[in-house]
Amino acid sequence: MRVWLKALLLIASVQAIVSLPAAAEVMLDGKLTQGSLVRGQAPAGAKVFFNGQPVKVAKSGQFVIGIGRDAALQHQLTIIASDGSRQQLPLTFSRREYDIQRITGVAQKYVTPPAEVTERIQNDQRKVAAVRTTLSDKMAIFADPLLPAQGRISGVYGSQRIFNGEPRNPHYGLDIAAPVGAPVLAPWDGEVLLAEDLYYSGLTLIIDHGMGVTSTLMHLHRLDVTVGQLIRQGEKVAEVGATGRVTGPHLDWRINWLQERLDPQLLLSEP
Ligand SMILES: [Zn+2]
């Protein structure tokens, strides 16, 4: 279900439509909760600031914001219309509870990597962070996503990971269990920014969907696309695999808004 909401209200999720007195109309589409990507519509020609930082706005007035897993709950959206009038919209997001996931049987080189791969891991992280600075004019992100693989959901966003008894970083993706070789489809139209083998995430694709939003598809068996390639939503881009830090074959799908790690599941249509 998709409902457009006027943004002046302090509402934790998109469940209502409310009228506002005359002011530049701003609408937000998405749940106001931690880990959420929120798509917005401001008047054409408006400037948008999120917590005082300028946000990329399309000619149409569409924009994207998002907050991370553990982000503060109070945020400020500022809209400056083309006539110079300014609107301050305080946004209150809701706090989420995250699961603890205990995973055993992970190869120890992925729990505590040997010193000789430290440089490789840092290099991987630099490359990933660099491509996630991409801020293109593509508008694919304003469409509904397509689930990139079929299978049981075997891991969710935000869960605290304990590998072989040792606490590690939280999980930031949506895991879909599927056999090696199962097709991986592009969740939206996009352009391939990265297509290579990384230490933790194995064979990895990062795809730009526009406005700073990227998908990362991890642990792949093979890649069907190369860097710079333009792809269509639903196109087969790879095959499910079990490469990198995994205990079995699955697709790990991540969504970023620039460096913010967001929850793909919040964008999928409710049943
Ligand atoms: Zn995962």
Side-chain angles (χ1 to χ4, degrees):
M1 184 183 63
R2 161 158 305 169
V3 181
W4 289 87
L5 165 76
K6 305 271 172 92
L8 269 177
L9 288 174
L10 306 179
I11 281 188
S13 68
V14 179
Q15 296 292 341
I17 300 180
V18 186
S19 297
L20 285 180
E25 195 167 84
V26 179
M27 288 188 282
L28 299 181
D29 175 19
K31 297 187 176 74
L32 297 187
T33 192
Q34 288 173 325
S36 187
L37 180 144
V38 176
R39 292 169 281 195
Q41 173 76 64
K47 292 191 170 72
V48 176
F49 298 81
F50 187 52
N51 299 323
Q53 299 298 312
V55 169
K56 182 178 176 68
V57 184
K59 281 199 181 75
S60 59
Q62 286 167 286
F63 64 93
V64 169
I65 56 172
I67 70 164
R69 176 187 188 268
D70 302 302
L73 304 180
Q74 302 299 327
H75 297 268
Q76 189 81 17
L77 196 62
T78 306
I79 312 287
I80 302 178
S82 49
D83 65 3
S85 64
R86 173 188 289 255
Q87 251 184 302
Q88 299 278 9
L89 306 175
L91 298 179
T92 300
F93 287 66
S94 64
R95 186 177 299 287
R96 288 175 69 183
E97 300 286 333
Y98 299 107
D99 294 341
I100 292 177
Q101 190 177 21
R102 290 172 200 280
I103 299 171
T104 53
V106 182
Q108 200 57 30
K109 68 173 182 170
Y110 290 116
V111 178
T112 306
E116 59 268 26
V117 297
T118 306
E119 200 174 320
R120 181 183 172 196
I121 290 169
Q122 287 170 351
N123 200 26
D124 288 354
Q125 288 167 345
R126 269 195 299 273
K127 273 190 225 169
V128 167
V131 300
R132 285 177 175 161
T133 62
T134 303
L135 201 47
S136 78
D137 293 331
K138 292 185 177 63
M139 299 290 282
I141 187 59
F142 295 103
D144 286 331
L146 188 115
L147 196 61
Q150 292 301 317
R152 181 178 62 87
I153 301 299
S154 55
V156 296
Y157 174 92
S159 50
Q160 181 60 55
R161 286 284 177 87
I162 301 176
F163 286 106
N164 301 352
E166 299 183 38
R168 288 295 180 266
N169 289 339
H171 186 241
Y172 289 102
L174 178 66
D175 287 338
I176 304 166
V180 171
V184 174
L185 311 180
W188 289 275
D189 290 356
E191 179 175 348
V192 179
L193 299 176
L194 179 144
E196 64 180 85
D197 187 22
L198 305 179
Y199 186 76
Y200 282 121
S201 57
L203 219 45
T204 302
L205 275 183
I206 300 183
I207 303 170
D208 170 34
H209 305 301
M211 311 300 284
V213 179
T214 55
S215 279
T216 304
L217 302 164
M218 297 168 28
H219 310 307
L220 302 166
H221 175 64
R222 66 167 259 171
L223 306 179
D224 294 344
V225 293
T226 54
V227 171
Q229 194 171 331
L230 295 174
I231 52 177
R232 304 296 303 193
Q233 184 178 44
E235 184 176 335
K236 179 174 176 256
V237 291
E239 291 177 0
V240 171
T243 56
R245 186 174 65 183
V246 299
T247 55
H250 71 281
L251 175 68
D252 184 330
W253 175 31
R254 303 189 173 198
I255 291 179
N256 271 64
W257 174 55
L258 303 170
Q259 305 302 326
E260 292 291 354
R261 303 158 188 270
L262 307 175
D263 183 356
Q265 234 172 354
L266 294 175
L267 294 171
L268 298 170
S269 310
E270 291 154 33

